[in-house]
Amino acid sequence: FFFLMIRRPPRSTQSRSSAASDVYKRQVFEGRRKKMKTENEERRENKNNNLEQDVEPIIMTIRLKDKDEAKANWFAIGDAIQHKFSVKPIYVRFNQAEGNLAFDKKHTTDEVINEVTSNELQIEDDVFTINKTVGDELKEFYKLHGNHFTRIIGTESKLKKKKKKDSFINVGTQTFRDISKLRNHVKDILARTPNDQPVTASEGELLKELLGHHDKKDEKLRDLKEFTVGTHPKYPQTRCFFIVKNDDTKEDFSIHKCIDNFDIKN
């Protein structure tokens, strides 16, 4: 007699208990993954909230005029804007014929924004127009370039904080914690001084010291009698400082340009 032993092959499917165990493991893994994802999103949101507290961006769109491709790159555009309007963009991106800029609202007056949007920017043979980015166009900017914008602005913000740490600035006999404190102080002078009224003696000394950093300081300071406040001759909705000469003639000037030049030199 012969006995033949046949062994059944191992089961290819898992037992119910084994399958249930795998389901439980997957559920635990998915739960941990979702928790980590939520925590990461909260960190990003907190980072963006902190960024928004540091910076109030004014987004602008820059377009090349009458050409398909510009010779100038983003760096040249940012440099040209700072040179022409005496204000430095906190963000610049440009691709062949169109791009975006951003200014910090805390450090940029309405007068400067009006000047930027009212004038064309020329860099050699390239001519650009600049306009505020609003509505659907603004939403599209944040959708396409929001991550890049946040990353760049976050880096700039950290550098500024590091630079400002433990640093004070002196303007004449007055001392300020940083350049933003100086800007705010000048804004307060502008806001509380009635139209056609002279500023106080101490305020006048501060303005005179800042006027010494104007591109045309010699012309502006010549025969200076005092400073007053009034409505801007080109922009009726904007108030600005005026120089009053000894013959009582008045001339407006950009205190923002003076502070920017002072900031660059210091």
Side-chain angles (χ1 to χ4, degrees):
F1 294 94
F2 295 96
F3 294 93
L4 183 61
M5 226 172 151
I6 301 176
R7 296 184 63 186
R8 191 170 67 175
R11 296 170 63 116
S12 59
T13 58
Q14 296 176 320
S15 66
R16 290 184 179 180
S17 61
S18 177
S21 175
D22 283 354
V23 169
Y24 173 75
K25 289 177 182 177
R26 282 197 299 272
Q27 288 174 341
V28 171
F29 174 76
E30 286 294 325
R32 288 177 180 172
R33 189 176 66 84
K34 288 179 180 178
K35 183 180 179 181
M36 289 177 63
K37 183 178 179 182
T38 302
E39 290 174 350
N40 289 336
E41 288 174 349
E42 287 177 354
R43 283 195 207 100
R44 281 195 295 269
E45 186 176 349
N46 290 334
K47 183 179 178 181
N48 290 339
N49 288 339
N50 291 335
L51 178 61
E52 289 172 2
Q53 291 173 6
D54 292 336
V55 177
E56 294 181 25
I58 303 173
I59 308 298
M60 317 286 282
T61 300
I62 179 168
R63 292 185 174 90
L64 180 64
K65 190 176 179 182
D66 301 328
K67 290 173 68 177
D68 295 327
E69 185 173 349
K71 294 179 182 178
N73 58 16
W74 68 271
F75 184 83
I77 290 172
D79 191 55
I81 288 173
Q82 184 174 2
H83 179 75
K84 180 172 183 177
F85 303 110
S86 298
V87 59
K88 182 180 179 181
I90 58 173
Y91 172 84
V92 183
R93 59 158 292 274
F94 189 79
N95 183 19
Q96 294 185 336
E98 186 175 328
N100 296 98
L101 316 167
F103 299 100
D104 189 351
K105 189 175 182 180
K106 294 179 181 178
H107 302 145
T108 312
T109 63
D110 292 338
E111 177 187 355
V112 171
I113 294 300
N114 288 333
E115 189 177 357
V116 170
T117 55
S118 301
N119 293 277
E120 293 180 338
L121 178 70
Q122 184 163 357
I123 306 174
E124 296 182 356
D125 296 333
D126 297 331
V127 180
F128 304 90
T129 59
I130 304 174
N131 298 288
K132 267 190 175 182
T133 309
V134 296
D136 292 338
E137 192 175 14
L138 183 61
K139 292 179 182 177
E140 188 70 9
F141 165 77
Y142 279 112
K143 180 180 177 181
L144 296 176
H145 309 292
N147 289 336
H148 180 248
F149 174 75
T150 302
R151 186 171 67 253
I152 297 299
I153 298 305
T155 302
E156 288 288 330
S157 180
K158 288 178 182 177
L159 289 174
K160 285 181 180 179
K161 285 182 178 179
K162 185 177 180 181
K163 182 180 178 182
K164 289 178 180 178
K165 187 178 180 182
D166 299 329
S167 62
F168 291 83
I169 57 175
N170 298 312
V171 186
T173 59
Q174 299 190 45
T175 301
F176 299 90
R177 181 68 181 82
D178 53 41
I179 198 70
S180 64
K181 298 296 183 184
L182 171 60
R183 292 182 193 277
N184 290 337
H185 182 69
V186 172
K187 285 181 182 179
D188 288 340
I189 296 173
L190 184 65
R192 66 172 176 259
T193 305
N195 283 356
D196 302 320
Q197 293 295 314
V199 302
T200 65
S202 61
E203 292 168 348
E205 287 300 319
L206 175 67
L207 295 179
K208 184 177 179 181
E209 187 72 27
L210 291 173
L211 187 59
H213 297 275
H214 196 281
D215 295 335
K216 300 178 181 178
K217 61 182 180 180
D218 294 333
E219 177 186 333
K220 301 291 184 183
L221 289 168
R222 189 180 301 117
D223 298 325
L224 173 65
K225 177 182 177 182
E226 61 186 8
F227 296 92
T228 62
V229 171
T231 303
H232 195 285
K234 288 186 179 179
Y235 311 107
Q237 303 301 320
T238 304
R239 299 173 77 238
C240 65
F241 289 106
F242 284 83
I243 300 165
V244 181
K245 301 286 189 177
N246 288 328
D247 60 0
D248 290 329
T249 57
K250 293 200 305 184
E251 178 186 351
D252 66 283
F253 72 100
S254 173
I255 191 67
H256 182 77
K257 289 182 179 180
C258 299
I259 296 175
D260 281 342
N261 289 342
F262 171 83
D263 191 23
I264 292 169
K265 291 176 184 177
N266 290 274

